[in-house]
């Protein structure tokens, strides 16, 4: 998936990362992450689109291949935005524990998360 979170990983690494999570489907209109709540999960979008909202206003949109929810886990902070599904979503769901374990086992995974989180600070 060029231009995605997975682009810097080898196919075996993508398989390892994917296996650490669980595939889930969410309906349009669903909010998997709420602003100012504990960071207990992250997702990679397989298909669909989400609106990223801060204070009720859209600040970005994310789609297939994007990671979401990583910032709070990386920074050990409350969520900085809410996410709303603009279409049905097919996702890989990761618990915070799975993210932390992958970060220890695969330093490149942690570097990729850090890079995404840093690019979204603001």
């Amino acid at each position: 998936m060029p231009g995605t979170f997975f682009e810097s990983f080898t196919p075996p690494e993508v398989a390892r990362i994917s296996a650490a999570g669980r595939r889930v489907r969410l309906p349009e209109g669903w909010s998997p992450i709420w602003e100012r709540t504990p960071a207990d999960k992250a997702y990679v979008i397989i298909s669909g689109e989400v609106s990223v909202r801060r204070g009720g206003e859209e600040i970005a949109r994310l789609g297939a291949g994007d990671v979401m929810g990583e910032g709070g886990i990386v920074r050990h902070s409350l969520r900085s935005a809410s996410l709303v599904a603009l279409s049905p979503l097919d996702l890989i769901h990761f618990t915070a524990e799975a993210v932390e374990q992958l970060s220890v086992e695969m330093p490149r995974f942690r570097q990729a998360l850090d890079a995404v989180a840093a690019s979204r600070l603001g």
Side-chain angles (χ1 to χ4, degrees):
M1 292 195 276
T4 71
F5 176 73
F6 286 123
E7 74 181 348
S8 64
F9 298 104
T10 66
E13 288 172 329
V14 170
R16 184 174 176 192
I17 293 165
S18 298
R22 182 172 52 92
R23 287 287 288 267
V24 296
R25 295 187 62 81
L26 298 178
E28 181 177 343
W30 191 266
S31 292
I33 291 177
W34 289 86
E35 192 172 1
R36 294 193 246 11
T37 61
D40 60 350
K41 59 191 166 240
Y43 300 92
V44 173
I45 303 171
I46 302 302
S47 67
E49 185 178 35
V50 300
S51 171
V52 181
R53 299 176 184 176
R54 187 173 294 142
E57 292 196 31
E58 184 173 285
I59 58 170
R61 288 193 179 194
L62 300 175
D66 286 324
V67 63
M68 57 188 193
E70 80 298 328
I73 294 172
V74 168
R75 293 187 299 274
H76 302 285
S77 63
L78 294 179
R79 301 291 187 188
S80 61
S82 296
L83 303 173
V84 179
L86 298 175
S87 66
L89 299 174
D90 188 12
L91 308 166
I92 301 174
H93 168 270
F94 298 95
T95 63
E97 293 79 15
V99 171
E100 293 295 341
Q101 183 172 349
L102 280 169
S103 294
V104 170
E105 294 173 1
M106 296 178 66
R108 284 172 15 97
F109 177 79
R110 181 55 184 237
Q111 292 165 355
L113 282 184
D114 287 345
V116 171
S119 75
R120 294 181 180 166
L121 282 177

